[in-house]
Amino acid sequence: MSTVLVTGAAGFIGSHTCDLLLAAGHAVVGVDNFRTGHRSNLAQAFVRPRFCLIEADVCAPGALDRIAVEARPDAIIHLAALVSVQESVQDPGLNFELNLRGTHLIAEAARLHGIARVVLASSAAVYGDAQTHPLTEQVETRPISPYGAAKLASEAILLGHAAAYGFTVRCQRYFNVYGPRQDPNSPYSGVISIFCDKLRAGMAPVIFGDGEQTRDFVYVQDVARANVLAATVPEIASGVANICSGCATTLNQLATELLNHFAGSPNPVHVAPKAADIRHSLGSTNVAAAAFGFTAEVQLAAGLAILAH
Ligand code: UD2
């Protein structure tokens, strides 16, 4: 059993990752500054004896050193970040600070404290608007936002450190993650949490454009399992992997599927397309399967059924 440091522990993906690590018997030291995370997300973790939470900002001077000395982790799962593409466009300086400098500090903590493995929350945003489907990890990365650029640079920083100082780094390129605890109350929220919120209130979901754009939706507990595998499977080489389902769903299909769970709800309303919206996004699942045995298990219909009840 390992001790795993999870940054961004109180976030959407972080809290599910903590729950799964604890269920597998690992000790978890969670770190969060509650900028976007919620203490309530950790309700299940708090009742576990092998969980502790440190309220701290990973970018604060000396914070990671103190935490690493105290926790002596075998691995870090680094999820603390500015999580919104739009917010990175509005405040690229904050994106640089949280997403790039934060990752550099994690890389340095791994080097200075001999931490054997780091798992990074990367993103399909590194591919930009690539026209290849499915997207393999070999596709040329061409980010089109400060967020995507910082995630790509974060991968490079960590992989460079890993090669130079002899630890292992796994970069997880998440596609469209959805599931319980995703916050619907921000203009940057994921489409599924927004649609569920609207339908629960008896309102029509709003589809940007014709609704024929596609996304590769992956359930958050699958993503958490991918993180646990990447952090704990023995004898793994450094690398990047898509974390996705390998299934493309149109927004129209998504809305139809969700409407089945909310009888009498109004039909979706179509409005003008969102500026710079990517038309199609679909990931190849092969690398994650080969590198650490990860395949998404929760089909979209099953995940939506859980969310709707
Ligand atoms: C996702 C990620 C983002 C980044 C990006 C990389 C989420 C929440 N965001 O952005 O972090 O990794 O992929 O490509 O996972 N939509 C509607 N109605 C709504 C809200 C959204 O029609 O009320 C559409 C939107 O125009 C888009 C699709 O739903 O076509 C998905 O939107 P999103 O904001 O959930 O995620 P995305 O793919 O823009």
Side-chain angles (χ1 to χ4, degrees), residues 9-11 15 19 34 37-46 53 181:
S15 61
D19 288 345
F34 297 105
H38 301 285
R39 202 170 282 274
S40 57
N41 286 343
L42 291 169
Q44 288 175 33
F46 277 129
L53 179 75
R181 303 179 198 159

Side-chain angles (χ1 to χ4, degrees), residues 13 17 174 177 218-228 243 294:
I13 298 174
T17 301
Y174 305 141
V177 186
V218 59
Y219 193 63
V220 68
Q221 279 166 8
D222 277 329
V223 173
R225 189 165 47 81
N227 290 341
V228 175
I243 305 299
F294 171 72

Side-chain angles (χ1 to χ4, degrees), residues 232-257:
T232 61
V233 294
E235 313 271 325
I236 187 172
S238 293
V240 304
N242 293 336
I243 305 299
C244 58
S245 70
C247 301
T249 305
T250 68
L251 266 285
N252 290 327
Q253 289 167 336
L254 170 68
T256 304
E257 181 71 41

Side-chain angles (χ1 to χ4, degrees), residues 50-104:
R50 290 167 74 80
F51 178 72
C52 80
L53 179 75
I54 299 173
E55 187 167 345
D57 181 344
V58 296
C59 291
L64 274 170
D65 277 330
R66 281 194 299 276
I67 293 165
V69 166
E70 204 179 305
R72 312 275 346 131
D74 303 293
I76 302 176
I77 302 180
H78 180 45
L79 306 172
L82 177 149
V83 295
S84 154
V85 173
Q86 285 89 338
E87 198 179 358
S88 81
V89 173
Q90 277 152 19
D91 193 345
L94 187 64
N95 171 68
F96 181 87
E97 169 71 10
L98 302 189
N99 287 353
L100 204 51
R101 204 173 73 82
T103 304
H104 167 70

Side-chain angles (χ1 to χ4, degrees), residues 101-252:
R101 204 173 73 82
T103 304
H104 167 70
L105 294 172
I106 292 284
E108 279 294 87
R111 174 175 79 91
L112 294 169
H113 299 280
I115 299 166
R117 197 173 300 186
V118 178
V119 177
L120 170 72
S122 186
S123 168
V126 301
Y127 297 116
D129 201 4
Q131 300 299 317
T132 314
H133 308 291
L135 288 160
T136 67
E137 292 79 352
Q138 281 73 49
V139 167
E140 192 187 349
T141 46
R142 275 198 209 164
I144 53 171
S145 65
Y147 175 86
K151 288 297 183 184
L152 185 58
S154 291
E155 291 184 356
I157 285 173
L158 278 170
L159 289 166
H161 258 63
Y165 305 115
F167 57 91
T168 303
V169 162
R170 295 298 321 178
C171 304
Q172 312 272 74
R173 293 179 175 171
Y174 305 141
F175 279 62
N176 287 69
V177 186
Y178 74 100
R181 303 179 198 159
Q182 190 166 31
D183 189 349
N185 297 316
S186 129
Y188 317 123
S189 298
V191 64
I192 292 181
S193 65
I194 294 173
F195 279 11
C196 283
D197 208 43
K198 290 242 180 212
L199 288 166
R200 223 168 257 128
M203 291 157 68
V206 176
I207 295 179
F208 299 132
D210 65 3
E212 287 305 296
Q213 66 267 48
T214 56
R215 291 294 183 272
D216 182 327
F217 293 106
V218 59
Y219 193 63
V220 68
Q221 279 166 8
D222 277 329
V223 173
R225 189 165 47 81
N227 290 341
V228 175
L229 285 167
T232 61
V233 294
E235 313 271 325
I236 187 172
S238 293
V240 304
N242 293 336
I243 305 299
C244 58
S245 70
C247 301
T249 305
T250 68
L251 266 285
N252 290 327

